[in-house]
Amino acid sequence: MAGLFGELLPMILGNVLAPLWLIIVLLLLASPGGLLKAAAFVLGMTLTRVAQGLLFGALLAASSDDAAGGSGLVAATLKLILGILLLIAAFKKWRKEEDPDEPPPKWMQSLDQTTALKAFGLGALGIAIGPKLWAFTLSALAIINGAGIDQTSAIIAYAAYIFFAQILLILAVLFAAVAPKHSRAVLQRATGWLTTYNRPISITVALVFGLLFTWDGVNGFLKG
């Protein structure tokens, strides 16, 4: 299982190091009734990822049953696609073009007035329509499917992937719940820092992981 977690680590880090989702959670926490809205946002993300796991985990398992060694080529293909998507995203961000994974600016501006239900929908929609996030999840599922573990272990591994991919969001919500007064100033400073450095962080993360996944994908094809 430790080896499997090591293979999943790049996908986890790719999620963790993307600043946009943490910025949204921090902005929600700063708004009236923010704790409930931020928790609803994270829940929407989580349930969408669970649904993706149920649907595409079954499809990947069926495809690997039909073709011996097919899971390795599937994983290599997904990594290559993910690498290319990340490199394109880095280039677009550098050119200051809109990233399809990021919600429109007006969504960010309306977070103060949003409801918990709308925050839940925003979290679910962000996961459902983000091509890079799809590629991260599908790559993780392909790796888990190709690991040769039983179904219970596979479920645990995917649950761990979801948890650690959202660990910073979960910790921010828990911090606000446990220490509401103390967390306000800390989270406000974190929001300012992330907003200021969102672009260089996003470019660096997309470039580094784009090169990593592209290399892994090509290497997987050569070995296959």
Side-chain angles (χ1 to χ4, degrees):
M1 188 66 78
L4 174 58
F5 185 80
E7 289 192 66
L8 292 174
L9 189 58
M11 265 65 68
I12 292 171
L13 290 176
N15 281 281
V16 169
L17 296 175
L20 172 69
W21 308 106
L22 183 56
I23 290 172
I24 292 176
V25 167
L26 294 177
L27 290 174
L28 287 171
L29 286 171
S31 67
L35 183 59
L36 179 60
K37 292 189 284 189
F41 178 81
V42 176
L43 180 61
M45 297 178 71
T46 303
L47 293 182
T48 303
R49 282 186 160 127
V50 169
Q52 289 174 334
L54 291 172
L55 176 59
F56 291 97
L59 290 175
L60 285 169
S63 68
S64 63
D65 288 341
D66 292 340
S71 58
L73 288 177
V74 170
T77 302
L78 290 170
K79 285 181 179 180
L80 183 58
I81 292 171
L82 176 55
I84 293 171
L85 285 173
L86 288 169
L87 291 175
I88 292 172
F91 178 74
K92 286 186 172 183
K93 201 78 175 178
W94 176 67
R95 290 286 302 272
K96 298 184 179 181
E97 296 181 23
E98 185 178 344
D99 187 335
D101 279 347
E102 295 191 7
K106 63 181 181 180
W107 290 18
M108 302 284 285
Q109 295 168 5
S110 65
L111 289 177
D112 268 353
Q113 288 78 41
T114 195
T115 64
L117 183 60
K118 288 181 179 178
F120 175 89
L122 177 60
L125 186 65
I127 297 296
I129 67 173
K132 295 195 299 292
L133 299 179
W134 272 99
F136 276 127
T137 297
L138 289 173
S139 297
L141 287 168
I143 289 170
I144 293 169
N145 181 63
I149 55 179
D150 60 80
Q151 187 175 27
T152 301
S153 298
I155 291 171
I156 293 171
Y158 185 62
Y161 162 76
I162 294 175
F163 175 77
F164 286 108
Q166 301 176 175
I167 187 65
L168 292 184
L169 313 185
I170 295 169
L171 289 176
V173 173
L174 289 177
F175 184 34
V178 172
K181 291 183 179 178
H182 178 64
S183 65
R184 192 171 297 116
V186 176
L187 296 178
Q188 188 174 14
R189 287 196 298 271
T191 304
W193 189 87
L194 286 169
T195 302
T196 301
Y197 296 104
N198 177 24
R199 185 169 175 268
I201 293 172
S202 297
I203 293 172
T204 302
V205 170
L207 180 61
V208 170
F209 282 95
L211 293 171
L212 173 65
F213 286 120
T214 301
W215 171 255
D216 280 352
V218 172
N219 206 29
F221 273 111
L222 293 176
K223 287 182 180 178

